Amino acid sequence: MKPAPHFAAWPLRPPPQYLRWMVGGLVVLALVGCAGVLLRPWLEDWLPALGALALMLWLLALLLRVLAFRFNRHNAACYADAVAKVETRWWNHHRQQAALLEMVLIGPACSQPDDRAGLFEAERKPPQTTTEEGGQVLRSTQVLGKGQARRERQLARLLAVQLQAQRREPFIAPLLHCYWQGSAEAWQVFAEETGRRFNVVLPDQPRPWKGLDSLDEVIDALHQVEGDALVLCAGCESLARRKDSTLPGGEAALLWLLGKSGGVRIARGEAFVADGDALPEVAERALRQCHLDAPAQACASFSPALADLGWNPLPAAPALNFGELQQLEAAVALSLAAAHAQLNAMPSAWLASDPSCTLALGVVTPDDPTC
């Protein structure tokens, strides 16, 4: 979990016990009086001065005690105000969001934007598995190549083709950064196809996608520039079935165009590390990050840990539609939450394993200033 600023409480002095001070003052005066009676033959001329001095010292001690108490309370109030400002500033930064202006999601059960609604229908039959050398797999029918490397290159080209089908001019603002999850060869195919179709030059070496860490970088970059800007995040993955897994090998490709506003809003999310965090606390922080008092009505999750939170899973499990994924699992879960939030105009959560931590979780909210 990303640590919020924590400050120890200011040590508070107890208030003066005025009754005790009054009793103490009377005792001092009584002692001075008794001493005056006993020592009157020797200190007769000094008794008034000694009595006045004792009274002044008692008053001075009481004044210092009261001032110490008042200054302590004043310092505590100033400290609390400074802490509140630091915490507010941290939460304001932590609650910054990115807008999903355009999304391409390709998988065995999804290739067009119109297909996304079916991913949330429990009665819809999941795609059929096929048999490869390693076992059962789920594959996109739009890709005909054999072998992981070849299929990923075809998926990368298909991302550019589908982006053009969805939006003729997607790059309407300066492109700040490009993030990629996948092989360098697949990126080169994607960059060449995108450049040819949109007359845009993508870098030879994009930034690697590192899950929540990269999402933080993207949101920071978007909020540090003036005016509109874009960040492109994309990736593709085609996996064989693992021998120790009950799920078929999965396949997916996705693309996001992120900006400051104009689409469903993606929060920074929260990271859960198994050795040091409590999952319910991390989940509560993810909701607090989006000003939610209760869990979202739906959560896209590849992880069985969702059952421990009481969050409502999507009617159709993402693993049934995409198979087992690795590096793209969290990104696909986030994409499904974004599609659900857009279709239903309500916040949607996501939870999955992540390259930067044990589990990543967050909330996507509709493009509505009141949310």
Side-chain angles (χ1 to χ4, degrees):
M1 183 168 62
K2 304 169 187 176
H6 175 74
F7 301 90
W10 187 270
L12 297 177
R13 288 177 174 270
Q17 299 292 328
Y18 293 104
L19 180 60
R20 292 182 181 179
W21 277 93
M22 295 301 294
V23 172
L26 293 175
V27 171
V28 170
L29 290 177
L31 290 175
V32 171
C34 293
V37 172
L38 295 175
L39 301 176
R40 187 178 186 86
W42 297 279
L43 300 174
E44 183 176 1
D45 295 337
W46 295 93
L47 285 178
L50 290 175
L53 178 61
L55 181 60
M56 290 180 62
L57 289 176
W58 174 81
L59 290 173
L60 179 61
L62 177 59
L63 176 62
L64 292 176
R65 178 65 179 86
V66 172
L67 288 176
F69 169 71
R70 294 301 180 187
F71 278 119
N72 175 259
R73 288 295 194 264
H74 174 73
N75 291 339
C78 293
Y79 176 79
D81 184 61
V83 167
K85 289 180 179 178
V86 171
E87 291 178 343
T88 299
R89 185 163 56 248
W90 187 89
W91 273 105
N92 287 340
H93 176 266
H94 195 55
R95 283 171 168 154
Q96 287 177 338
Q97 299 172 330
L100 183 59
L101 305 182
E102 190 63 64
M103 178 177 69
V104 177
L105 181 60
I106 299 172
C110 177
S111 58
Q112 306 288 335
D114 295 340
D115 298 335
R116 296 171 192 167
L119 298 177
F120 313 122
E121 298 174 358
E123 62 276 8
R124 179 177 176 177
K125 293 183 179 181
Q128 296 294 318
T129 61
T130 59
T131 303
E132 292 185 355
E133 184 176 353
Q136 296 294 309
V137 294
L138 284 174
R139 293 292 183 251
S140 172
T141 57
Q142 294 178 287
V143 180
L144 303 178
K146 301 294 183 180
Q148 178 182 358
R150 186 175 181 184
R151 291 190 68 86
E152 288 183 352
R153 289 194 297 269
Q154 292 184 8
L155 284 169
R157 179 176 289 106
L158 194 58
L159 282 176
V161 173
Q162 186 59 40
L163 178 62
Q164 186 181 42
Q166 293 179 201
R167 181 173 293 196
R168 300 294 299 179
E169 297 183 2
F171 301 101
I172 56 177
L175 190 61
L176 294 179
H177 305 298
C178 294
Y179 289 83
W180 178 257
Q181 172 57 56
S183 66
E185 294 79 9
W187 167 258
Q188 291 301 323
V189 172
F190 172 75
E192 291 173 3
E193 189 70 21
T194 303
R196 185 177 67 83
R197 290 178 178 272
F198 299 106
N199 193 28
V200 62
V201 179
L202 301 184
D204 293 334
Q205 294 184 342
R207 300 186 177 193
W209 179 255
K210 298 180 181 178
L212 281 187
D213 291 342
S214 296
L215 184 58
D216 265 343
E217 293 178 5
V218 169
I219 295 176
D220 285 340
L222 289 172
H223 285 271
Q224 287 170 1
V225 299
E226 296 182 1
D228 294 331
L230 296 174
V231 174
L232 184 148
C233 305
C236 54
E237 190 172 58
S238 181
L239 299 177
R241 178 176 180 176
R242 291 190 296 114
K243 294 181 180 180
D244 58 345
S245 175
T246 59
L247 293 174
E251 184 171 86
L254 60 86
L255 179 149
W256 303 334
L257 279 178
L258 300 174
K260 286 185 180 181
S261 60
V264 293
R265 297 178 295 180
I266 299 174
R268 292 180 184 271
E270 296 287 350
F272 167 74
V273 179
D275 295 334
D277 296 329
L279 186 57
E281 294 180 5
V282 179
E284 189 276 333
R285 272 268 302 268
L287 298 176
R288 182 182 175 189
Q289 193 180 96
C290 294
H291 302 280
L292 295 180
D293 297 326
Q297 294 188 12
C299 177
S301 174
F302 285 81
S303 173
L306 182 63
D308 300 332
L309 296 179
W311 289 13
N312 299 317
L314 289 176
L320 297 178
N321 290 315
F322 291 88
E324 183 180 28
L325 302 174
Q326 291 180 354
Q327 300 301 315
L328 276 184
E329 181 177 301
V332 170
L334 195 157
S335 299
L336 292 173
H340 190 271
Q342 186 175 37
L343 288 169
N344 298 278
M346 64 176 61
S348 299
W350 59 275
L351 183 151
S353 62
D354 190 78
S356 65
C357 55
T358 307
L359 289 174
L361 56 161
V363 178
V364 181
T365 52
D367 184 23
D368 184 350
T370 63
C371 290

